[in-house]
């Protein structure tokens, strides 16, 4: 149940984020749905290819595929004057997707018997892959390339899970790290934390 909830939140958040970016870039309905679908599912596809694990096709994602379609449809048919103002708040659904998918990636690596490096790698790729794909398709500079801290939070989640400090079999610990990554990502954005030595002292 824990992972079902996190997967629904992650897919809905990234589908929402992708659709908002598409509408702000003036994509048509086809482009909006393509970008909205690519954002939640691209990270897992990239991860599986990198780890040499069979790729599950987007249309084989079961109910998650329909969660993405429903979310995109809601965004697309909302009044455009409302939607255009939501782009400034896109950091929040993006943080939710980053966190949930980073945890999902780490869990996937553990289930497939990967060592610590593979767990961290899977957490990063799954967490940031969708956002990078969204930004590249929308011809925006990917968030992971910004000075602000982004992928580090996915790395942190993978590290904490990989070394056993967070037990993903425990629901409360899973939700705890999920919220922690969201808070860290949002805080790093609003407080302007950067990956420079002088900023690391502030952490």
């Amino acid at each position: 149940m824990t992972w079902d909830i996190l997967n629904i939140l992650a897919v809905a958040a990234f589908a929402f984020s992708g659709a908002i970016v598409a509408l702000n870039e003036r994509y048509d309905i086809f482009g909006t749905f393509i970008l909205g679908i690519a954002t939640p599912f691209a990270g897992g596809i990239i991860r599986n290819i990198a780890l040499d694990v069979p790729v599950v096709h987007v249309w084989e994602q079961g109910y998650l595929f329909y969660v993405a379609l429903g979310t995109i449809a809601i965004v697309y048919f909302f009044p455009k004057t409302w939607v255009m103002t939501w782009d400034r708040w896109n950091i929040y659904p993006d943080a939710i997707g980053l966190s949930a998918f980073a945890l999902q990636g780490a869990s996937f690596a553990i289930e497939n018997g990967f060592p610590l490096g593979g767990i961290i790698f899977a957490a990063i790729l799954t967490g940031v892959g969708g956002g990078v794909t969204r930004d590249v398709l929308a011809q925006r500079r990917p968030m992971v390339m910004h000075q602000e801290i982004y992928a580090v939070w996915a790395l942190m989640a993978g590290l904490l899970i990989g070394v056993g400090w967070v037990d993903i079999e425990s629901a409360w610990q899973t939700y705890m790290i999920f919220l922690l990554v969201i808070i860290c990502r949002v805080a790093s954005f609003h407080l302007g934390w950067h990956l420079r030595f002088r900023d690391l002292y502030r952490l």
Side-chain angles (χ1 to χ4, degrees), residues 78-112:
F78 252 76
K80 295 300 182 287
T81 54
W82 295 9
V83 171
M84 296 308 176
T85 64
W86 290 350
D87 191 42
R88 73 185 67 177
W89 308 108
N90 217 2
I91 174 65
Y92 299 104
D94 187 82
I96 293 171
L98 170 71
S99 179
F101 276 126
L103 299 185
Q104 196 268 353
S107 174
F108 177 88
I110 290 174
E111 290 176 2
N112 285 273

Side-chain angles (χ1 to χ4, degrees), residues 14-198:
F14 263 9
F16 178 92
S17 176
I20 290 297
V21 170
L23 290 175
N24 274 276
E25 297 296 330
R26 302 189 182 282
Y27 281 32
D28 61 12
I29 186 171
F30 180 76
T32 301
F33 272 86
I34 291 297
L35 194 60
I37 291 172
T39 306
F41 297 118
I45 293 173
I46 294 170
R47 174 202 64 212
N48 285 22
I49 292 173
L51 296 179
D52 196 24
V53 175
V55 175
V56 177
H57 296 294
V58 170
W59 50 87
E60 295 177 355
Q61 295 286 344
Y63 68 92
L64 294 176
F65 180 64
Y66 299 105
V67 168
L69 289 179
T71 303
I72 298 164
I74 291 171
V75 173
Y76 187 83
F77 292 107
F78 252 76
K80 295 300 182 287
T81 54
W82 295 9
V83 171
M84 296 308 176
T85 64
W86 290 350
D87 191 42
R88 73 185 67 177
W89 308 108
N90 217 2
I91 174 65
Y92 299 104
D94 187 82
I96 293 171
L98 170 71
S99 179
F101 276 126
L103 299 185
Q104 196 268 353
S107 174
F108 177 88
I110 290 174
E111 290 176 2
N112 285 273
F114 284 93
L116 177 61
I119 295 170
I120 295 173
F121 188 61
I124 295 172
L125 283 184
T126 314
V128 309
V132 169
T133 302
R134 173 200 63 212
D135 293 339
V136 169
L137 290 177
Q139 298 183 1
R140 294 185 172 189
R141 184 176 59 166
M143 286 188 179
V144 72
M145 302 299 181
H146 290 196
Q147 288 186 357
E148 67 194 47
I149 302 175
Y150 185 72
V152 170
W153 304 125
L155 183 154
M156 177 189 73
L159 177 63
L160 292 176
I161 293 171
V163 299
W165 291 353
V166 173
D167 181 8
I168 57 173
E169 298 298 324
S170 168
W172 77 267
Q173 290 189 43
T174 301
Y175 285 124
M176 178 191 68
I177 189 65
F178 170 66
L179 291 174
L180 178 62
V181 172
I182 293 174
I183 292 170
C184 288
R185 168 58 189 144
V186 172
S188 67
F189 174 81
H190 287 293
L191 297 178
W193 293 345
H194 300 292
L195 281 178
R196 296 192 299 255
F197 284 114
R198 69 176 182 226

